[in-house]
Amino acid sequence: MRILFFILTQLFCICAAFAWDPTGPYPFGILTHRSVTLTAEYWNPILTYVGKKANVQLNLRFARTANESTDMATTGQIAFAYTNHLFTPERDKLGFTVIARPNDDGIRGQIVVTMNSPIQSLHELDGQQVAFANPYGFTGYYVPYDALLHLGINPKPVFAGTQEAAIGQLIHNQVVAAGVNSQVMADFAKREQLSYRILYSSNLYNDLCIMVHPKVPPTIVQTVRKAFIEMKDDPEGRAVLEESARLIGSRASGFISANDKDYENYRNFFRTTLVPVK
């Protein structure tokens, strides 16, 4: 029985370590910021377009929460990933590399309150419940929480699961403030006509990036990367980007070339943060 248990355990570990075929199709993991429905409506047309242009099959994969989506990458279930959760010291060892990023100015970690909130300063958050997306979030958890800890402020973190769920808790007065990704917050506010105040805003970081597992063949990496980068300049691709952007109240920025050096400030952050790294 012990031998059988050992064999089954080893088989599980092997499957968990690498759960897709390098010849395709390729599971494409998305960091969940929004609802399940909105995430699928946004990404499925993009992946269909890129897959057609690159002559590969990209299958959308994501979980209910962002940390569960990240766990799919760490357990070998993802070939490509749109994320910024893989730069912690442990996840960095998985070998995912950056190939592209959104064509925008970047994102910031912010702490926000509703426009009519009585909270006027960060120090008023000490001992108060503050919503964050999840304990893996970079701009939506690590960055704003680290800023508070450096000021000697100790809030009570409440994890909502996704960025928009954290904003929802703030709107419904379940918490006094929320730690957010600046772009997700701005898009949500525009779409839902929400007014809010920013108590803290961090330095600029590059937005989530498209990353690839080291076992994806280089020729596939090149064709997928090329399709993403050229999408904004192709009339068909541009139309897909514009429709997806309309759904979330954003602009159709498309993607540009990127590499690991563009995300070195993420790794530098984790070397000095006061927040326990998970």
Side-chain angles (χ1 to χ4, degrees):
M1 182 64 70
R2 289 182 181 177
I3 294 175
L4 177 61
F5 177 78
F6 176 79
I7 293 173
L8 291 175
T9 301
Q10 296 307 304
L11 287 173
F12 173 80
C13 291
I14 291 170
C15 292
F18 194 61
W20 46 271
D21 190 335
T23 64
Y26 300 98
F28 196 109
I30 303 297
L31 194 61
T32 314
H33 278 160
R34 302 173 176 89
S35 70
V36 169
T37 300
L38 198 55
T39 299
E41 289 178 344
Y42 180 91
W43 276 101
N44 270 323
I46 293 175
L47 296 186
T48 297
Y49 168 87
V50 171
K52 183 177 70 172
K53 290 295 182 179
N55 197 30
V56 298
Q57 185 176 337
L58 301 175
N59 295 333
L60 180 64
R61 294 286 183 269
F62 63 95
R64 183 179 57 86
T65 66
N67 54 314
E68 291 170 342
S69 294
T70 300
D71 288 341
M72 292 173 70
T74 61
T75 55
Q77 301 177 53
I78 299 301
F80 291 89
Y82 182 66
T83 183
N84 62 354
H85 283 193
L86 301 180
F87 298 109
T88 63
E90 282 303 309
R91 294 186 204 122
D92 208 21
K93 297 175 183 177
L94 296 171
F96 279 83
T97 56
V98 177
I99 60 172
R101 67 176 179 84
N103 181 26
D104 59 26
D105 295 331
I107 53 176
R108 301 178 190 272
Q110 293 182 336
I111 298 173
V112 302
V113 295
T114 55
M115 187 60 74
N116 61 354
S117 169
I119 300 292
Q120 299 295 323
S121 73
L122 292 175
H123 287 280
E124 295 176 69
L125 301 180
D126 193 48
Q128 298 290 326
Q129 288 191 322
V130 175
F132 299 97
N134 60 83
Y136 289 176
F138 188 71
T139 50
Y141 172 60
Y142 278 111
V143 171
Y145 192 30
D146 180 73
L148 293 175
L149 294 181
H150 272 96
L151 292 172
I153 301 168
N154 291 279
K156 297 177 181 177
V158 176
F159 296 115
T162 67
Q163 286 277 307
E164 290 198 353
I167 298 169
Q169 290 196 346
L170 175 65
I171 295 172
H172 292 96
N173 298 315
Q174 296 173 320
V175 295
V176 299
V180 296
N181 170 313
S182 60
Q183 189 59 58
V184 175
M185 184 70 215
D187 291 345
F188 182 94
K190 179 181 178 181
R191 192 173 75 242
E192 303 297 331
Q193 298 183 323
L194 171 68
S195 297
Y196 64 99
R197 286 188 288 113
I198 301 171
L199 298 181
Y200 163 80
S201 192
S202 75
N203 293 329
L204 199 64
Y205 294 87
N206 281 327
D207 206 342
L208 280 68
C209 54
I210 298 171
M211 305 185 75
V212 61
H213 192 281
K215 289 189 179 293
V216 176
T219 54
I220 299 297
V221 175
Q222 291 169 10
T223 56
V224 169
R225 176 179 175 274
K226 183 174 184 288
F228 268 109
I229 293 170
E230 294 181 352
M231 187 175 185
K232 64 184 182 300
D233 300 315
D234 173 53
E236 181 186 354
R238 186 75 188 176
V240 172
L241 289 171
E242 289 176 351
E243 176 58 21
S244 290
R246 184 193 63 79
L247 290 172
I248 62 172
S250 185
R251 65 185 183 90
S253 58
F255 301 89
I256 59 175
S257 178
N259 57 48
D260 283 334
K261 291 182 179 179
D262 296 323
Y263 290 81
E264 192 59 31
N265 57 348
Y266 278 75
R267 297 181 176 92
N268 291 337
F269 172 88
F270 285 116
R271 295 187 185 105
T272 61
T273 182
L274 297 180
V275 183
V277 179
K278 296 186 178 182

